[in-house]
Amino acid sequence: MKEAIEQIKERNKRVETDKAWETSKTRKIIIALMTYIVIVIFLWSINMPRPWLNAIVPSVGFILSTMTLPFFKKLWLKYVYNK
């Protein structure tokens, strides 16, 4: 029984750590930067003008989407999931 409780505690700790990472600003910034770099490389490879400037749009779109998701999550929990 004691071992089962310790396993549950370890699992809960892993879940809390994963949740903290998923919602962290650090993760969002890293993804935004990686998105920006990948898009710059893509735009540069297809010879688009000003790839450094044009790559900002998808990165900003990602940041804006992560800012609005908590709002939509609350609505979804209230009106769709409602368990």
Side-chain angles (χ1 to χ4, degrees):
M1 185 71 147
K2 205 173 198 177
E3 188 176 317
I5 292 172
E6 287 303 315
Q7 288 176 344
I8 291 170
K9 286 181 180 179
E10 284 295 318
R11 181 195 164 278
N12 288 348
K13 188 176 180 181
R14 280 193 316 272
V15 169
E16 288 173 13
T17 303
D18 288 345
K19 178 67 174 177
W21 171 249
E22 289 294 322
T23 59
S24 72
K25 289 181 182 179
T26 303
R27 177 182 169 273
K28 293 173 185 176
I29 290 169
I30 290 170
I31 293 173
L33 287 173
M34 289 173 54
T35 301
Y36 178 77
I37 291 167
V38 168
I39 303 259
V40 164
I41 292 168
F42 172 74
L43 293 175
W44 177 76
S45 69
I46 63 170
N47 296 318
M48 286 289 292
R50 299 179 294 177
W52 299 102
L53 181 62
N54 290 321
I56 292 173
V57 173
S59 299
V60 169
F62 168 77
I63 292 168
L64 290 175
S65 71
T66 61
M67 291 170 56
T68 59
L69 284 179
F71 170 76
F72 290 114
K73 179 182 177 183
K74 287 178 187 175
L75 289 176
W76 182 81
L77 287 171
K78 184 175 180 179
Y79 297 108
V80 178
Y81 187 71
N82 59 13
K83 280 191 174 183

